[in-house]
Amino acid sequence: MAMAVRGTRGGGSGGINGGLRTFFSYRIFISAIFTLLFLATFSIIFSSHPHHHDDGSLPSSGNAYVQRTFLAVKSDPLRTRLDLIYKQANDHMTLVNAYASYARKLKLDISKQLRMFDELANNLTDLPLKPSYKSSLFEPGSPVDEDVLRQFEKEVKDIVKVTRLMIVESKESYDNQIKIQKLKDTIFAVNELLIKAKKNGAFASLISAKSVPKSLHCLAMRLVEERVAHPEKYKEEGHKEEFGDPSLYHYAIFSDNVIAVSVVIRSVVKNAEEPWKHVFHVVTDRMNVAAMKVWFRMRPVEGGTYVEIKAVEEYRFLNSSYVPVLKQLENANMQKFYFENQAEKATKDANNMKFRNPKYLSMLNHLRFYLPEMYPKLHKILFLDDDVVVQKDLTGLWKVDLDGKVNGAVETCFGSFHRYAQYLNFSHPLIKERFNPKACAWAFGMNIFDLDAWRREKCTEQYHYWQNLNEERTLWKLGSLPPGLITFYSTTKSLDKSWHVLGLGYNPSISMDEINNAAVIHYNGNMKPWLDIAMNQYKNLWTKYVDNDMEFVQTCNFGL
């Protein structure tokens, strides 16, 4: 910010000298205040040793023995008593003035206290100046009136009593330790508010991420409307031999998001050297299967690529008697956990609220554990999430030697982060006995699976075993990654990190060099590229594969 500075004689040194003078003046003022407090306190302690004086002013020094001898010679008990009372009042006036001076430096919230200190100081100062006291008590050479003295003593004691009470109450304000504690309490209270705000923000972000945008809903409705209006254009096609040809490159995509699936397939095909050798197996739910089929009939994939679209309900073996997740969904407690009072409880449990989304028990989210049964003729298949973008030819993944293991994936651990201990409950004896908490986690989203090794290792049976044990969510919270880490614990081959770069849905600090060098980039997190909350620096990497020539994309105003 530009600032106007008035020139001074001597250039910049004037500002420095002024700053130094201000600094040292403040230091001198504080030192003087505490010195004054010390002397006043010291004076009160020794106020029991009266000092004789001739003119009524307070002496500054003297010898106790000489004082006692002198008083013995010239004994006037009333005068001595007056001196003692006056000195006591004077000492307390000094204390009041000291505290008043210090109080002026404090905040406005003690202005009332400051006024009371000033009033007490004025009362103590003005008391000896009252005509009745001045003439009867403080005139040189005049006798002291005992009745007036009693009245004077009473008034002084009353003021001293109030002064002491005020000082005791005000000491809290000047005690550094108490102030530090108050500051800590304030910081704690502000931190509590911050935590609450973060919970509310996380909940709002979750709602934004998991809700269906108007544009996506519009697109699905337009596609279904097109099928209803022109049923003759969209007759079912027969099964193609290429769908089960193990010599081709097969991909599995499970999603209910039409435009996201389109982007994944278009990005693969545009970067493939031989697109006619690629086969995509898209599985969606019954509600979206018609829209998905209409899209790929209206906008067929270029290059001779094959696309198979099916509804999850077409796989008859996926029923509650075989699939633990479907069986658990029939449980009343599980339904209550997911579907009752979510909005009310979410902000109270920010760490776990994301796991309360029913998508974590959706069959689309758990289909990945049934790949060998869904595609019995295939030997290998590449699993892709619907929030990825492919930037390079992926056929090299089929050539990677998995060393007889089932799953080829990119590991995500670094330091102590993304270890098994963060996903599984190692306080449970079964987890503690079978797994290493420091084992490195890996990512779903781009996984090359050897289906022959899968069948040999009986991984689906392993998945069923652990999923059944976790019905009460005691082994892991929920989701598909924890059971994946368990199922493929000793059967995962680590791939080079350039195959799969994650975090574009939550991490704004990923370097563009790392992104440009990646074969697959993954928008895992809440900030999906088709949402308004997507991060702008990454969004264009996704939007360039959107089929903007598709009429319904323009009609539904995707704002891309």
Side-chain angles (χ1 to χ4, degrees):
M1 182 187 298
M3 297 181 64
V5 181
R6 177 182 292 182
T8 59
R9 185 177 299 176
S13 63
I16 297 174
N17 292 334
L20 290 173
R21 283 197 298 271
T22 302
F23 175 75
F24 284 110
S25 297
Y26 178 76
R27 294 289 297 272
I28 292 170
F29 173 78
I30 295 299
S31 300
I33 289 299
F34 281 99
T35 301
L36 189 58
L37 289 172
F38 173 77
L39 291 175
T41 305
F42 183 82
S43 177
I44 291 175
I45 293 172
F46 290 95
S47 62
S48 60
H49 302 288
H51 296 266
H52 176 72
H53 52 91
D54 293 328
D55 54 2
S57 62
L58 292 175
S60 60
S61 62
N63 183 276
Y65 174 74
V66 175
Q67 292 164 5
R68 286 194 298 271
T69 303
F70 184 76
L71 288 172
V73 175
K74 186 183 178 181
S75 58
D76 186 351
L78 295 179
R79 174 65 64 181
T80 303
R81 187 174 169 188
L82 171 63
D83 292 343
L84 182 60
I85 295 169
Y86 184 74
K87 177 173 175 48
Q88 188 180 26
N90 223 16
D91 290 341
H92 281 83
M93 180 184 68
T94 302
L95 272 176
V96 168
N97 284 329
Y99 276 103
S101 298
Y102 190 41
R104 291 188 185 95
K105 295 294 181 181
L106 299 180
K107 295 180 180 179
L108 293 177
D109 59 351
I110 61 168
S111 59
K112 180 179 178 181
Q113 189 182 69
L114 176 61
R115 287 195 302 271
M116 294 182 70
F117 277 131
D118 285 337
E119 185 179 347
L120 287 171
N122 291 333
N123 290 342
L124 287 170
T125 303
D126 296 340
L127 188 61
L129 301 179
K130 286 185 177 181
S132 58
Y133 294 149
K134 187 175 182 180
S135 61
S136 301
L137 301 177
F138 299 108
E139 286 293 335
S142 63
V144 176
D145 189 325
E146 186 174 359
D147 293 334
V148 176
L149 179 60
R150 287 198 190 99
Q151 181 63 31
F152 180 73
E153 181 181 20
K154 181 179 182 303
E155 289 194 40
V156 169
K157 286 184 176 180
D158 289 342
I159 297 175
V160 167
K161 182 179 179 181
V162 174
T163 301
R164 287 176 173 172
L165 289 174
M166 284 290 299
I167 289 173
V168 169
E169 292 178 1
S170 64
K171 278 183 178 180
E172 180 181 333
S173 301
Y174 310 116
D175 191 319
N176 288 335
Q177 292 301 322
I178 293 178
K179 280 194 168 296
I180 291 171
Q181 185 58 48
K182 283 187 174 181
L183 181 60
K184 288 181 178 179
D185 293 342
T186 302
I187 292 173
F188 178 79
V190 172
N191 188 56
E192 289 293 306
L193 292 175
L194 178 61
I195 292 173
K196 185 177 180 180
K198 284 183 175 180
K199 288 180 179 180
N200 291 334
F203 182 54
S205 177
L206 186 68
I207 291 175
S208 177
K210 304 310 178 188
S211 301
V212 178
K214 185 186 294 185
S215 53
L216 278 179
H217 180 72
C218 168
L219 180 61
M221 292 300 100
R222 291 282 186 172
L223 291 168
V224 173
E225 186 180 85
E226 170 69 15
R227 180 179 180 123
V228 172
H230 307 285
E232 69 281 358
K233 294 183 180 180
Y234 306 104
K235 293 181 179 180
E236 294 292 334
E237 294 181 338
H239 183 82
K240 297 181 180 180
E241 292 184 1
E242 288 80 5
F243 294 161
D245 186 350
S247 65
L248 301 178
Y249 303 107
H250 292 263
Y251 301 79
I253 306 172
F254 308 140
S255 172
D256 57 3
N257 188 326
V258 177
I259 199 165
V261 171
S262 169
V263 166
V264 175
I265 294 177
R266 281 170 63 87
S267 65
V268 173
V269 171
K270 285 186 177 293
N271 291 285
E273 296 178 359
E274 299 175 310
W276 59 89
K277 291 185 178 181
H278 295 258
V279 181
F280 293 90
H281 303 272
V282 179
V283 180
T284 186
D285 54 28
R286 185 182 302 168
M287 184 181 297
N288 291 281
V289 66
M292 199 80 72
K293 288 181 177 180
V294 171
W295 173 283
F296 286 101
R297 190 71 66 85
M298 293 180 68
R299 307 296 297 177
V301 182
E302 301 172 355
T305 302
Y306 301 94
V307 179
E308 178 190 34
I309 300 172
K310 299 183 75 173
V312 65
E313 290 80 8
E314 295 181 48
Y315 295 94
R316 300 297 182 186
F317 69 92
L318 296 175
N319 52 63
S320 59
S321 63
Y322 178 65
V323 179
V325 166
L326 294 178
K327 183 179 180 180
Q328 290 167 11
L329 270 178
E330 297 175 352
N331 184 287
N333 291 332
M334 188 70 73
Q335 292 177 7
K336 183 177 180 180
F337 178 79
Y338 280 109
F339 301 110
E340 290 187 12
N341 300 324
Q342 291 191 51
E344 179 182 332
K345 297 178 181 178
T347 55
K348 299 178 182 178
D349 192 13
N351 292 328
N352 298 327
M353 67 182 180
K354 67 178 182 178
F355 298 112
R356 300 180 73 90
N357 194 311
K359 81 154 196 172
Y360 288 108
L361 281 183
S362 163
M363 258 326 292
L364 287 178
N365 201 41
H366 286 258
L367 274 181
R368 63 196 70 186
F369 295 104
Y370 299 95
L371 289 170
E373 295 163 277
M374 296 171 69
Y375 310 107
K377 296 181 180 180
L378 303 183
H379 304 305
K380 281 190 176 182
I381 194 167
L382 182 64
F383 170 76
L384 294 176
D385 269 341
D386 64 358
D387 55 353
V388 305
V389 169
V390 176
Q391 302 185 125
K392 296 181 180 180
D393 183 81
L394 297 181
T395 55
L397 285 168
W398 276 262
K399 302 172 185 176
V400 172
D401 184 4
L402 296 180
D403 298 328
K405 296 187 176 180
V406 177
N407 173 31
V410 170
E411 293 182 335
T412 57
C413 62
F414 59 96
S416 61
F417 297 98
H418 295 288
R419 302 284 178 176
Y420 268 53
Q422 292 179 282
Y423 299 94
L424 305 177
N425 178 19
F426 275 87
S427 63
H428 196 287
L430 282 176
I431 296 293
K432 186 176 182 180
E433 179 184 350
R434 297 285 295 274
F435 304 101
N436 179 4
K438 296 182 180 180
C440 188
W442 42 266
F444 270 132
M446 190 222 69
N447 307 78
I448 183 72
F449 288 110
D450 185 332
L451 300 183
D452 292 333
W454 186 316
R455 298 179 185 104
R456 183 182 66 249
E457 297 292 337
K458 299 182 178 179
C459 293
T460 301
E461 287 83 345
Q462 283 290 318
Y463 162 71
H464 282 177
Y465 171 77
W466 289 102
Q467 190 70 47
N468 281 321
L469 289 176
N470 194 49
E471 183 172 0
E472 300 299 324
R473 303 180 301 281
T474 57
L475 305 183
W476 66 86
K477 288 295 183 182
L478 281 169
S480 57
L481 181 56
L485 295 176
I486 289 177
T487 301
F488 306 112
Y489 176 57
S490 58
T491 57
T492 297
K493 169 77 172 182
S494 177
L495 301 178
D496 187 273
K497 292 186 182 297
S498 62
W499 280 112
H500 187 191
V501 171
L502 298 104
L504 279 73
Y506 69 90
N507 184 3
S509 304
I510 305 173
S511 72
M512 290 309 298
D513 289 340
E514 186 178 3
I515 290 173
N516 293 331
N517 191 46
V520 175
I521 54 176
H522 195 169
Y523 292 83
N524 58 310
N526 286 339
M527 300 179 184
K528 302 300 185 188
W530 54 83
L531 299 175
D532 291 336
I533 61 174
M535 286 185 277
N536 291 330
Q537 66 265 40
Y538 306 140
K539 193 168 185 177
N540 67 302
L541 300 171
W542 184 84
T543 56
K544 67 181 181 181
Y545 291 107
V546 174
D547 189 353
N548 290 301
D549 295 330
M550 204 300 184
E551 58 180 294
F552 295 152
V553 171
Q554 300 173 10
T555 304
C556 291
N557 189 27
F558 268 83
L560 304 174

